[in-house]
Amino acid sequence: MFQDSSRCIVIVGAQWGDEGKGKITDVLAEQATLVARYQGGANAGHTVLVDGEEFILHLIPSGAIVPSVKCVLGNGVVIDPWTLLEEIDELEARGIEIAERLIVSRRAHLVLPYHRLLDGARESLRGDAKIGTTKRGIGPAYRDKVSRTGVRVCELEDLSNCAGLVRAACAAANGLLASWGLEDRADPEQIMAELESIAPRIRALAGDSGATLLEELHGDGRVLLEGAQGSLLDVDHGTYPFVTSSNTTAGAAAAGVGIGPTLIDGVLGIVKAYTTRVGSGPLPTELEGHEADRLRKLGAEFGATTGRPRRPGWYDGAVVRHSAAVNGLTALAVTKLDVLDTFDEIRLGVGYTLDGAPLEAFPVRASELERVVPVYETAGGWGADTGQARAWGDLPAGARDYLERIEANAGVPIRYVSVGSARDQIVRAAIPRGA
Ligand code: GDP
Ligand code: IMO
Ligand code: MG
């Protein structure tokens, strides 16, 4: 992505999350000087595998494993400060020095214990209608942000003022919990005592994400803006209400770090060679029974944050076309191609019908998406190991054909194909263009 004059690239999940953003970010970080997160929080679980060592990152950008890369948590991220410090300590214990090259926006909102309490309580009250959140307090933290009752990182600079905000927020949260007939309560004094003990460490990381990025981009820097979740989990463009509580799509990247959109040169959409989703909500190409178990097992499809089994399905072209449109994708990275190596028959969703008629626009209502019938193209599998492929020509003809059909359906060029979780298992500049 950086091979031309581009300086600032957004990496965005183009399905329902877990597409392999962590792996691709790590691969591209070798050419970058700075990687920033722009939204979401510790609901994310981004896996990076380097020399057989696995790192699962929830808040810290996936560029962290490359030692020269600066890391930034933008103002659009919601930050659980205890999770952040744990992650820093864990990385440092494993020999990855991060604190000295990490900046956390002073404008970012904190996820505090009452957010987790409210997230869990709301989910249990929803019963069968639950969203299946990660229970990391994400929805309640963004709710406080837009309600203008949030506590930002900068509040840790004035703890007596911060205590007033935390007391008011706890009173509101406890009122809600009581009205729901629940006994759990948030204790503002305990929260403040715990915050006071970590405040110096957080203050030492605090800075201005926008100014840091501008300095990088006005110098010789190359920046990756790493999305979390996926486009179909975007609060506006996803399968509402079965979504997360932030804009995950590329349009949010500039606002989420504090730069202008004119500085962004490209948007790389990450797609699995099939589809998965965790939590509730429509998944038109979902597989059931034995086939689902097989794909889940081959792809190790268990959540990196919650350990929940992911729901697998065939590749859904209608989803990726919707993502291409709402993100302005300029390139695709297709991941986990190797997971399909042993399938005799592979189905590729190319569109939907609804009530027997082809559907052009992506449905707005989740209830409508529940009723669509995918239109599939079916092909024989390639029956060969792709894990060793490093160039387009190394891939079996059947796999190349499958990728070309994905590219044609999406209308976006494929630039990378990932054929295993390790850093070197990547095919770059995948499909040779004609003369
Ligand atoms: P993210 O949230 O988008 O960063 O993705 P996750 O890390 O949650 O899930 C992707 C999983 O697939 C991780 O366990 C990765 O190590 C793994 N992975 C990434 N790329 C590939 C690939 O090309 N092949 C295989 N087999 N696994 C991959
Ligand atoms: P990464 O960055 C997959 C899903 C949850 C739930 C919904 C709302 O690893 O791709 P939330 O806790 O955000 O309020 O949950 O969104 N979800 C994810 N699914 N990957 C993620 O992150 C996710 N983050 C949230 O399962 O359905
Ligand atoms: Mg993940």
Side-chain angles (χ1 to χ4, degrees):
M1 287 297 282
F2 285 126
Q3 63 203 24
D4 30 41
S5 59
S6 54
R7 306 283 308 282
C8 183
I9 304 291
V10 182
I11 293 180
V12 69
Q15 294 160 324
W16 275 281
D18 303 325
E19 298 91 347
K21 297 174 294 292
K23 153 142 189 190
I24 299 295
T25 302
D26 171 63
V27 167
L28 295 186
E30 288 180 324
Q31 306 158 48
T33 57
L34 186 151
V35 180
R37 281 270 307 270
Y38 59 87
Q39 48 67 235
N43 48 349
H46 296 179
T47 313
V48 175
L49 189 71
V50 181
D51 299 332
E53 232 195 301
E54 186 179 81
F55 299 88
I56 298 180
L57 300 155
H58 299 289
L59 276 166
I60 292 179
S62 304
I65 315 304
V66 178
S68 58
V69 165
K70 295 174 200 151
C71 292
V72 170
L73 295 182
N75 51 277
V77 180
V78 287
I79 296 170
D80 179 325
W82 294 278
T83 305
L84 176 64
L85 294 178
E86 258 171 45
E87 208 166 309
I88 291 171
D89 291 344
E90 199 191 314
L91 282 174
E92 300 213 329
R94 295 172 71 181
I96 312 280
E97 296 302 325
I98 181 71
E100 293 305 311
R101 54 191 172 100
L102 175 66
I103 286 177
V104 176
S105 170
R106 293 173 63 218
R107 291 186 169 89
H109 281 247
L110 294 174
V111 180
L112 295 171
Y114 47 87
H115 294 128
R116 280 190 188 236
L117 259 182
L118 291 172
D119 196 355
R122 246 186 209 288
E123 279 287 274
S124 58
L125 290 175
R126 281 191 184 107
D128 285 348
K130 72 175 191 291
I131 288 166
T133 75
T134 59
K135 299 189 182 162
R136 294 297 186 273
I138 304 300
Y142 277 117
R143 178 174 181 252
D144 274 352
K145 174 176 173 173
V146 294
S147 302
R148 294 158 294 183
T149 52
V151 181
R152 299 190 297 170
V153 167
C154 60
E155 308 301 348
L156 298 178
E157 295 156 16
D158 178 353
L159 288 169
S160 64
N161 187 57
C162 183
L165 297 173
V166 169
R167 282 187 199 113
C170 283
N174 289 340
L176 272 177
L177 291 165
S179 74
W180 294 336
L182 299 173
E183 288 182 0
D184 286 328
R185 294 291 179 271
D187 175 352
E189 307 316 319
Q190 188 189 340
I191 294 172
M192 278 316 297
E194 288 173 15
L195 265 183
E196 277 170 33
S197 78
I198 60 164
R201 283 190 75 190
I202 301 291
R203 283 198 299 262
L205 301 168
D208 184 330
S209 59
T212 305
L213 263 76
L214 283 183
E215 197 181 316
E216 201 71 13
L217 289 167
H218 289 150
D220 293 331
R222 287 168 181 264
V223 169
L224 295 172
L225 302 179
E226 178 188 8
Q229 291 80 54
S231 303
L232 276 291
L233 291 170
D234 182 287
V235 67
D236 286 298
H237 303 291
T239 50
Y240 192 89
F242 304 103
V243 292
T244 190
S245 299
S246 65
N247 283 117
T248 60
T249 42
V257 292
I259 61 170
T262 46
L263 287 171
I264 294 174
D265 302 300
V267 182
L268 177 64
I270 318 298
V271 293
K272 270 180 198 173
Y274 49 96
T275 308
T276 59
R277 151 162 228 168
V278 203
S280 320
L283 179 58
T285 60
E286 184 161 16
L287 284 163
E288 307 283 350
H290 168 71
E291 268 185 318
D293 292 341
R294 182 170 173 215
L295 194 49
R296 190 181 297 113
K297 190 159 175 242
L298 286 168
E301 295 297 354
F302 294 89
T305 297
T306 58
R308 290 177 292 174
R310 296 175 182 150
R311 298 158 58 194
W314 295 118
Y315 180 87
D316 186 336
V319 159
V320 178
R321 282 202 306 278
H322 174 62
S323 283
V326 297
N327 286 293
L329 297 184
T330 56
L332 282 181
V334 179
T335 62
K336 304 191 94 161
L337 183 73
D338 54 295
V339 173
L340 299 179
D341 283 352
T342 57
F343 279 76
D344 293 333
E345 191 182 89
I346 296 170
R347 300 227 248 167
L348 179 104
V350 292
Y352 301 140
T353 61
L354 184 64
D355 300 327
L359 199 62
E360 293 305 322
F362 194 78
V364 174
R365 305 184 70 193
S367 57
E368 212 180 357
L369 192 60
E370 288 283 7
R371 293 199 302 115
V372 301
V373 177
V375 178
Y376 288 111
E377 287 178 1
T378 304
W382 43 89
D385 177 10
T386 56
Q388 306 308 315
R390 298 293 178 270
W392 179 247
D394 298 339
L395 292 168
R400 293 199 306 248
D401 178 59
Y402 182 66
L403 293 166
E404 279 171 358
R405 287 192 293 142
I406 286 179
E407 185 176 275
N409 184 264
V412 180
I414 295 176
R415 288 285 288 271
Y416 305 94
V417 180
S418 176
V419 292
S421 42
R423 198 184 248 176
D424 67 332
Q425 289 183 296
I426 190 106
V427 173
R428 292 169 206 260
I431 303 188
R433 313 282 145 223

